[in-house]
Amino acid sequence: MTPPLIRQLTADPVIAVVRAPAIADAAELCAALAEGGIGCTELTFTTPDVTAHLARAADAGHRVGAGTVLTADQAHAAVDAGASFLVTPGLRAEVAEVAHRRGVPVVMGALTPTEVAQAVDLGAAAVKIFPARAFGPAYLKDLHGPFPGVPLVASGGVNAANAAAFLSSGAIAVCAGSDVVPPLSVSTSAWPDLTTRARAFVHALRPASEGRQPAPAPSAEGPR
Protein backbone atom coordinates (compact mmCIF):
# COMPACT_ATOMS: atom_id res chain seq x y z
CA MET A 1 0.00 0.00 0.00
CA THR A 2 1.29 3.47 -0.91
CA PRO A 3 1.79 5.64 2.22
CA PRO A 4 -0.42 8.76 2.45
CA LEU A 5 2.57 11.11 2.20
CA ILE A 6 3.64 9.55 -1.10
CA ARG A 7 0.10 9.75 -2.47
CA GLN A 8 -0.03 13.41 -1.48
CA LEU A 9 3.30 14.20 -3.12
CA THR A 10 2.28 12.40 -6.29
CA ALA A 11 -0.75 14.67 -6.57
CA ASP A 12 1.08 17.79 -5.31
CA PRO A 13 4.80 17.25 -6.02
CA VAL A 14 6.22 20.36 -4.37
CA ILE A 15 7.39 21.00 -0.83
CA ALA A 16 7.99 24.69 -0.10
CA VAL A 17 11.00 24.89 2.22
CA VAL A 18 11.00 28.00 4.40
CA ARG A 19 14.33 29.20 5.77
CA ALA A 20 13.92 32.66 7.23
CA PRO A 21 15.11 34.55 10.31
CA ALA A 22 11.48 35.38 11.08
CA ILE A 23 8.00 34.34 9.95
CA ALA A 24 5.35 37.03 10.18
CA ASP A 25 2.42 34.59 10.24
CA ALA A 26 2.89 30.90 9.45
CA ALA A 27 -0.80 30.31 8.73
CA GLU A 28 -0.94 33.19 6.24
CA LEU A 29 2.34 32.01 4.72
CA CYS A 30 0.93 28.55 4.06
CA ALA A 31 -2.32 30.01 2.77
CA ALA A 32 -0.43 32.21 0.29
CA LEU A 33 1.56 29.25 -0.99
CA ALA A 34 -1.57 27.09 -1.23
CA GLU A 35 -3.29 29.78 -3.27
CA GLY A 36 -0.38 29.52 -5.70
CA GLY A 37 -0.73 25.74 -5.90
CA ILE A 38 1.76 24.51 -3.28
CA GLY A 39 -0.08 22.77 -0.48
CA CYS A 40 2.84 21.27 1.43
CA THR A 41 5.17 23.49 3.47
CA GLU A 42 8.30 22.65 5.47
CA LEU A 43 9.33 24.99 8.29
CA THR A 44 12.89 24.38 9.40
CA PHE A 45 14.58 24.36 12.77
CA THR A 46 16.93 27.06 11.47
CA THR A 47 14.07 29.53 12.10
CA PRO A 48 13.74 30.77 15.70
CA ASP A 49 10.64 29.55 17.56
CA VAL A 50 9.80 27.18 14.72
CA THR A 51 7.55 25.01 16.90
CA ALA A 52 5.26 27.97 17.56
CA HIS A 53 5.04 28.58 13.81
CA LEU A 54 4.35 24.90 13.18
CA ALA A 55 1.53 24.98 15.71
CA ARG A 56 0.05 28.13 14.17
CA ALA A 57 0.04 26.62 10.67
CA ALA A 58 -1.21 23.21 11.80
CA ASP A 59 -4.02 24.72 13.89
CA ALA A 60 -5.16 26.57 10.76
CA GLY A 61 -5.45 23.24 8.93
CA HIS A 62 -2.41 23.46 6.68
CA ARG A 63 -0.21 20.50 5.73
CA VAL A 64 3.04 21.47 7.37
CA GLY A 65 6.17 19.56 8.31
CA ALA A 66 9.38 20.22 10.20
CA GLY A 67 12.72 20.36 8.43
CA THR A 68 16.39 20.28 9.47
CA VAL A 69 15.40 17.90 12.27
CA LEU A 70 18.62 16.66 13.83
CA THR A 71 17.74 15.28 17.26
CA ALA A 72 15.12 13.18 18.97
CA ASP A 73 14.10 16.16 21.12
CA GLN A 74 13.49 18.27 18.02
CA ALA A 75 11.48 15.45 16.47
CA HIS A 76 9.25 15.13 19.54
CA ALA A 77 8.79 18.90 19.73
CA ALA A 78 7.84 19.11 16.07
CA VAL A 79 5.26 16.34 16.31
CA ASP A 80 3.84 17.87 19.50
CA ALA A 81 3.44 21.14 17.61
CA GLY A 82 1.47 19.45 14.83
CA ALA A 83 4.06 18.61 12.17
CA SER A 84 2.63 15.99 9.81
CA PHE A 85 6.05 14.90 8.55
CA LEU A 86 9.72 15.30 9.46
CA VAL A 87 12.66 16.04 7.17
CA THR A 88 16.33 15.52 7.96
CA PRO A 89 19.35 16.90 6.08
CA GLY A 90 21.18 13.59 6.46
CA LEU A 91 20.97 10.19 8.09
CA ARG A 92 19.53 10.58 11.61
CA ALA A 93 18.63 7.29 13.27
CA GLU A 94 17.28 8.94 16.42
CA VAL A 95 14.88 11.07 14.37
CA ALA A 96 13.70 8.02 12.45
CA GLU A 97 13.06 6.19 15.72
CA VAL A 98 10.90 9.03 17.05
CA ALA A 99 9.05 9.34 13.75
CA HIS A 100 8.10 5.67 13.78
CA ARG A 101 7.19 5.73 17.45
CA ARG A 102 4.93 8.76 16.91
CA GLY A 103 3.45 7.53 13.63
CA VAL A 104 4.81 10.41 11.51
CA PRO A 105 6.59 9.86 8.17
CA VAL A 106 10.19 10.97 7.82
CA VAL A 107 11.87 12.17 4.63
CA MET A 108 15.55 11.44 5.21
CA GLY A 109 18.40 13.26 3.52
CA ALA A 110 21.01 11.28 1.56
CA LEU A 111 23.28 11.63 -1.44
CA THR A 112 25.24 8.47 -2.22
CA PRO A 113 23.78 5.04 -3.04
CA THR A 114 25.06 3.78 0.32
CA GLU A 115 23.25 6.58 2.13
CA VAL A 116 20.05 5.95 0.17
CA ALA A 117 20.17 2.30 1.24
CA GLN A 118 20.76 3.30 4.85
CA ALA A 119 17.84 5.73 4.75
CA VAL A 120 15.59 2.94 3.51
CA ASP A 121 16.86 0.65 6.27
CA LEU A 122 15.96 3.37 8.79
CA GLY A 123 12.39 3.35 7.50
CA ALA A 124 12.29 6.60 5.53
CA ALA A 125 9.00 7.18 3.72
CA ALA A 126 11.01 8.97 1.03
CA VAL A 127 14.66 9.89 0.56
CA LYS A 128 15.67 13.49 -0.04
CA ILE A 129 18.60 13.76 -2.44
CA PHE A 130 20.58 16.76 -1.25
CA PRO A 131 22.16 18.76 -2.74
CA ALA A 132 20.44 17.72 -5.97
CA ARG A 133 21.95 20.63 -7.88
CA ALA A 134 25.45 19.20 -7.45
CA PHE A 135 24.69 16.13 -9.61
CA GLY A 136 21.69 17.18 -11.67
CA PRO A 137 18.46 15.41 -12.73
CA ALA A 138 20.26 12.49 -14.42
CA TYR A 139 21.65 11.42 -11.06
CA LEU A 140 18.16 10.64 -9.76
CA LYS A 141 17.49 8.56 -12.85
CA ASP A 142 20.71 6.64 -12.18
CA LEU A 143 19.71 6.03 -8.56
CA HIS A 144 16.44 4.49 -9.66
CA GLY A 145 18.45 1.72 -11.33
CA PRO A 146 19.40 0.00 -8.05
CA PHE A 147 16.51 1.61 -6.10
CA PRO A 148 13.46 1.39 -8.40
CA GLY A 149 10.95 1.39 -5.55
CA VAL A 150 12.39 4.21 -3.44
CA PRO A 151 10.55 7.58 -3.63
CA LEU A 152 13.19 10.27 -4.16
CA VAL A 153 12.76 13.98 -3.43
CA ALA A 154 15.09 16.47 -5.13
CA SER A 155 16.30 19.25 -2.83
CA GLY A 156 18.94 21.94 -3.03
CA GLY A 157 19.22 24.24 -6.03
CA VAL A 158 15.85 23.27 -7.49
CA ASN A 159 14.13 26.13 -9.29
CA ALA A 160 11.50 26.79 -11.95
CA ALA A 161 14.06 26.21 -14.69
CA ASN A 162 15.07 22.68 -13.64
CA ALA A 163 12.23 21.35 -11.47
CA ALA A 164 10.45 19.64 -14.37
CA ALA A 165 13.66 17.83 -15.33
CA PHE A 166 13.98 16.40 -11.83
CA LEU A 167 10.39 15.12 -11.94
CA SER A 168 10.92 13.66 -15.42
CA SER A 169 14.04 11.90 -14.11
CA GLY A 170 12.06 10.09 -11.43
CA ALA A 171 11.74 12.42 -8.45
CA ILE A 172 8.45 11.92 -6.62
CA ALA A 173 8.63 15.59 -5.59
CA VAL A 174 10.90 18.61 -5.52
CA CYS A 175 11.70 21.13 -2.80
CA ALA A 176 11.16 24.80 -3.65
CA GLY A 177 13.45 27.05 -1.64
CA SER A 178 14.30 30.73 -1.63
CA ASP A 179 13.26 31.27 -5.25
CA VAL A 180 9.68 30.68 -4.11
CA VAL A 181 9.89 31.70 -0.44
CA PRO A 182 12.49 34.49 -0.14
CA PRO A 183 13.25 35.21 3.53
CA LEU A 184 12.42 38.91 3.12
CA SER A 185 8.96 38.16 1.73
CA VAL A 186 8.33 35.68 4.54
CA SER A 187 9.32 38.11 7.28
CA THR A 188 7.49 41.14 5.81
CA SER A 189 4.15 39.47 5.04
CA ALA A 190 4.54 39.82 1.27
CA TRP A 191 1.90 37.17 0.70
CA PRO A 192 0.88 38.19 -2.87
CA ASP A 193 4.53 37.89 -3.89
CA LEU A 194 4.71 34.35 -2.50
CA THR A 195 1.49 33.37 -4.27
CA THR A 196 2.84 34.67 -7.57
CA ARG A 197 6.13 32.83 -7.11
CA ALA A 198 4.40 29.60 -6.13
CA ARG A 199 2.07 29.78 -9.11
CA ALA A 200 4.97 30.32 -11.52
CA PHE A 201 6.90 27.39 -10.03
CA VAL A 202 3.93 25.01 -10.25
CA HIS A 203 3.19 26.12 -13.80
CA ALA A 204 6.78 25.39 -14.85
CA LEU A 205 6.62 21.76 -13.72
CA ARG A 206 3.05 20.97 -14.77
CA PRO A 207 3.92 19.05 -17.97
CA ALA A 208 6.21 16.72 -16.02
CA SER A 209 3.80 16.18 -13.13
CA GLU A 210 0.60 15.30 -14.99
CA GLY A 211 -0.44 11.68 -15.17
CA ARG A 212 2.27 10.37 -12.87
CA GLN A 213 1.91 7.10 -11.00
CA PRO A 214 3.00 6.90 -7.34
CA ALA A 215 6.23 5.09 -6.57
CA PRO A 216 5.99 1.94 -4.46
CA ALA A 217 6.81 2.33 -0.79
CA PRO A 218 10.29 1.35 0.42
CA SER A 219 10.36 -2.20 1.73
CA ALA A 220 12.03 -1.46 5.08
CA GLU A 221 9.75 -1.86 8.07
CA GLY A 222 11.48 0.59 10.39
CA PRO A 223 14.74 1.45 12.12
CA ARG A 224 17.29 -1.32 12.50
Side-chain angles (χ1 to χ4, degrees):
M1 179 181 296
T2 304
L5 177 65
I6 303 306
R7 292 200 301 269
Q8 292 165 358
L9 291 179
T10 300
D12 183 6
V14 184
I15 302 172
V17 181
V18 181
R19 294 190 184 278
I23 297 176
D25 187 316
E28 292 295 332
L29 163 64
C30 292
L33 292 170
E35 186 176 347
I38 299 178
C40 187
T41 303
E42 174 190 332
L43 306 182
T44 70
F45 269 91
T46 56
T47 297
D49 302 317
V50 69
T51 53
H53 298 306
L54 285 167
R56 168 76 174 135
D59 288 347
H62 296 290
R63 178 152 50 99
V64 63
T68 319
V69 184
L70 297 173
T71 69
D73 286 344
Q74 288 178 334
H76 279 299
V79 177
D80 289 342
S84 61
F85 61 94
L86 305 177
V87 183
T88 69
L91 299 171
R92 306 300 297 172
E94 63 184 282
V95 174
E97 183 178 354
V98 171
H100 287 286
R101 190 186 313 161
R102 301 292 299 271
V104 173
V106 59
V107 179
M108 191 156 291
L111 182 60
T112 68
T114 297
E115 291 171 347
V116 171
Q118 290 174 333
V120 172
D121 287 344
L122 289 170
V127 181
K128 181 182 75 173
I129 303 303
F130 175 84
R133 168 176 51 192
F135 291 84
Y139 183 60
L140 275 77
K141 185 175 182 179
D142 291 340
L143 285 174
H144 270 306
F147 302 109
V150 177
L152 302 178
V153 177
S155 177
V158 179
N159 53 45
N162 62 21
F166 280 107
L167 291 181
S168 296
S169 295
I172 188 72
V174 294
C175 292
S178 59
D179 281 356
V180 172
V181 279
L184 182 61
S185 296
V186 172
S187 62
T188 59
S189 305
W191 310 135
D193 176 56
L194 297 186
T195 297
T196 298
R197 290 171 179 271
R199 186 173 292 122
F201 188 93
V202 171
H203 179 77
L205 57 79
R206 185 171 296 157
S209 62
E210 292 177 345
R212 299 189 310 150
Q213 295 298 318
S219 59
E221 296 181 354
R224 297 179 183 177

